[in-house]
Amino acid sequence: MSRRPKTFDLTFLLEQAQRRVSRNFDLALRELGASPEQWRVLDRLSDEEGRPIGELAAELCMNPPTMTKLIDRMVAANLVMRIADESDSRRVLVFITDIGIELWAKLTRRADSFNEQLAGTLSAKQIQHLGEMLGYLADRPS
Amino acid sequence: MSRRPKTFDLTFLLEQAQRRVSRNFDLALRELGASPEQWRVLDRLSDEEGRPIGELAAELCMNPPTMTKLIDRMVAANLVMRIADESDSRRVLVFITDIGIELWAKLTRRADSFNEQLAGTLSAKQIQHLGEMLGYLADRPS
DNA sequence: CGTATATCAGAAAGACTGAGATAC
DNA sequence: CGTATCTCAGTCATTCTGATATAC
């Protein structure tokens, strides 16, 4: 009847919060035609400099093959393009296109307003602490 | 060259923390033969009472068809079983099996130790605040 | 030669939609 | 009849592993 007295289940809280938040975030961005992952990539490329696949993968915590597939779809949608790195031909640099820039601007406005709404009634100090602790969890080697 | 001055990107922090934590959590549980989702289901059924699919789906924030498939695999692995609800034949109650109980016990020990290690050097008060804020974010309607 | 980078091939779990079956 | 519960069918994006091609 009663649940076991359990260790504080931080993993579950994190999963649930992310699941519920991202469900709505997905919807907000999907209306504009992109997934959260695509927006993350566009955001990193928005300074119009090229970046290698591996770097993008590491930043977004994906394996290279996963990033390759994501970039495949974004190339097909004309959001980014691949250009071989002249200084190291093993590398392929990914650049944002004009269409990608346009979409990125729209997505960013939507994402910003989502974040503002999400932070909602949390105080600035709470948000700062939350950010610090999430960053701490993300950086744990474990 | 410089990144845009952006709204505090809580969504991104949440995604990244969850991504990096869950990657390791996956590995920890996968060694024992279950996914995090399977453990969540087993944990909810561990009092050996039956629960309808819809309730499990709502608690874990999944659509019913997704939960049906998850339960399918768990039935195939003899971890749970389906029994029609006598009082409402639309419902199918899911019960944990003896094998499920055994696996749940192992998974729980592993998950608990993972959570303890994850909490790491955070103070009890920090963990409490983190839990409260994550719960708050999860409960936002938005 | 060994390492690094990206891609390919394939398998699996997950997520979503829309439609259907059954029971209230 | 309308609603609720679950399942089915099908599609798609994501993830992982292991192998391959190419370049350093």
Side-chain angles (χ1 to χ4, degrees), chain A:
Chain A
M1 191 65 79
S2 68
R3 309 307 307 280
R4 70 192 166 86
K6 60 167 59 177
T7 299
F8 191 78
D9 198 346
L10 196 50
T11 310
F12 178 66
L13 286 171
L14 192 55
E15 279 178 8
Q16 287 297 85
Q18 200 278 333
R19 200 179 265 272
R20 293 187 191 269
V21 168
S22 87
R23 170 166 292 189
N24 293 320
F25 192 62
D26 278 15
L27 286 176
L29 297 191
R30 196 84 56 183
E31 286 177 8
L32 299 176
S35 67
E37 286 79 13
Q38 287 179 336
W39 176 57
R40 300 296 177 202
V41 171
L42 290 177
D43 199 43
R44 262 147 202 77
L45 299 178
S46 61
D47 59 4
E48 303 196 51
E49 303 203 3
R51 285 180 180 73
I53 300 265
E55 183 181 315
L56 292 171
E59 285 179 347
L60 298 186
C61 194
M62 291 181 185
N63 286 335
T66 303
M67 181 58 72
T68 290
K69 281 189 182 179
L70 179 57
I71 296 298
D72 283 347
R73 285 189 297 277
M74 295 179 72
V75 167
N78 267 316
L79 299 176
V80 301
M81 51 192 173
R82 287 182 165 99
I83 298 180
D85 186 344
E86 294 177 2
S87 66
D88 182 347
S89 301
R90 288 171 304 181
R91 293 191 165 190
V92 175
L93 299 180
V94 183
F95 289 82
I96 196 168
T97 64
D98 290 346
I99 294 177
I101 289 275
E102 282 180 30
L103 182 56
W104 166 76
K106 289 185 203 166
L107 292 169
T108 296
R109 282 194 292 274
R110 185 71 64 97
D112 282 354
S113 94
F114 185 92
N115 270 314
E116 284 172 15
Q117 197 181 356
L118 179 64
T121 59
L122 288 174
S123 70
K125 180 159 289 188
Q126 280 181 309
I127 292 177
Q128 185 194 345
H129 285 159
L130 179 55
E132 285 171 4
M133 287 189 281
L134 288 177
Y136 170 78
L137 293 181
D139 286 340
R140 297 229 77 193
S142 181

